[in-house]
């Protein structure tokens, strides 16, 4: 399926990105803690981070960083942390978004992807243009509609094709981003984003 351009060995030097896993309101809602594993880059107390995906955006200020019960001033790749954020947008954050360095990643709902279906005995089912799949990337799970390439009537189990996807809402996506998908409630295959399309 190819490799993601985000080589984990180089991730430390890339702009900060953390998928949101859980959310905890603090201090009667005056602050919010967002937990997750940092996928790339570093974050410091006092940094501004941006919410990306699921139709909402905006920025908030990192006021505290919690690393397994210990307050730290900086956290980096591979660390599971809680970021305490202050700002009007913090109250609207949700699982499936990412927190990122402002302007470093965009939200997209339309893209092309190379996908591969599982064998039939492992859950692969025929996919046709218009099939509704549940896409999983970062911590998000979101429905989308698939369009097969012209001339292909159906993609069979264990098959591979370059398809176009229209998600129901924009997600934080980049070219090279891997994802998995479910079809009729079962794991059905995986893919990689090959090109982001204008909406």
């Amino acid at each position: 399926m190819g490799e993601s351009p985000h080589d984990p060995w180089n991730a430390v030097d890339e702009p900060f990105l953390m998928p949101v896993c859980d959310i905890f309101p603090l201090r009667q809602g005056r602050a919010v803690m967002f937990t997750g594993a940092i996928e790339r880059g570093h974050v410091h107390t006092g940094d501004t981070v941006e919410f990306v995906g699921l139709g909402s955006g905006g920025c908030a200020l990192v006021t505290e960083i919690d690393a397994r019960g210990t307050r730290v001033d900086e956290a980096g790749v591979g660390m599971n942390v809680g970021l305490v954020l202050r700002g009007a947008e913090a109250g609207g954050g949700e699982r499936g978004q990412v927190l990122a360095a402002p302007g470093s990643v965009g939200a997209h709902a339309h893209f092309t992807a190379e996908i591969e279906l599982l064998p039939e005995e492992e859950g692969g089912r025929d996919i046709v243009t218009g099939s509704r799949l549940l896409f999983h990337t970062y911590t998000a799970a979101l429905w989308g509609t698939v369009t097969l390439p012209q001339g292909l009537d159906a993609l069979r189990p264990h098959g591979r094709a370059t398809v176009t996807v229209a998600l129901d809402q924009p997600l934080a996506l980049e070219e090279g981003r891997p994802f998995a998908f479910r079809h009729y409630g079962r794991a059905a295959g995986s893919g990689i984003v090959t090109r982001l399309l204008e909406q």
Side-chain angles (χ1 to χ4, degrees):
M1 298 297 301
E3 297 294 330
S4 166
H6 300 300
D7 183 337
W9 295 106
N10 297 324
V12 67
D13 297 321
E14 295 187 12
F16 168 72
L17 186 145
M18 185 188 88
V20 174
C21 185
D22 286 304
I23 303 167
F24 302 96
L26 303 175
R27 301 163 198 151
Q28 290 77 48
R30 292 193 298 273
V32 184
M33 177 184 283
F34 294 81
T35 66
I38 298 175
E39 186 167 299
R40 65 184 194 231
H42 287 81
V43 64
H44 306 79
T45 302
D47 283 354
T48 297
V49 294
E50 182 180 12
F51 294 88
V52 183
L54 297 178
S56 59
C59 295
L61 182 71
V62 179
T63 59
E64 298 175 31
I65 304 172
D66 180 276
R68 300 186 184 279
T70 301
R71 187 177 296 185
V72 296
D73 293 326
E74 176 186 0
V77 175
M79 294 179 65
N80 286 285
V81 297
L83 303 183
V84 179
L85 304 184
R86 186 178 67 222
E89 286 77 13
E94 59 185 299
R95 178 182 171 89
Q97 292 180 313
V98 302
L99 295 174
S104 63
V105 61
H108 303 271
H110 297 80
F111 59 94
T112 62
E114 183 182 352
I115 66 169
E116 184 172 1
L117 300 185
L118 293 172
E120 188 171 6
E121 60 271 17
E122 296 179 20
R125 305 268 305 261
D126 285 5
I127 289 177
V128 299
T129 291
S131 287
R132 295 279 291 166
L133 306 178
L134 186 63
F135 291 87
H136 296 263
T137 186
Y138 295 117
T139 56
L142 190 65
W143 290 98
T145 304
V146 172
T147 301
L148 298 183
Q150 190 171 2
L152 182 62
D153 294 330
L155 184 62
R156 311 294 183 192
H158 218 288
R160 178 184 292 190
T162 298
V163 302
T164 302
V165 178
L167 297 174
D168 289 358
Q169 287 182 275
L171 290 177
L173 288 176
E174 298 167 290
E175 293 178 0
R177 181 70 202 174
F179 58 87
F181 55 87
R182 300 176 72 86
H183 193 207
Y184 292 108
R186 297 181 62 182
S190 61
I192 288 180
V193 176
T194 55
R195 188 160 61 97
L196 301 170
L197 303 175
E198 294 296 326
Q199 299 183 23

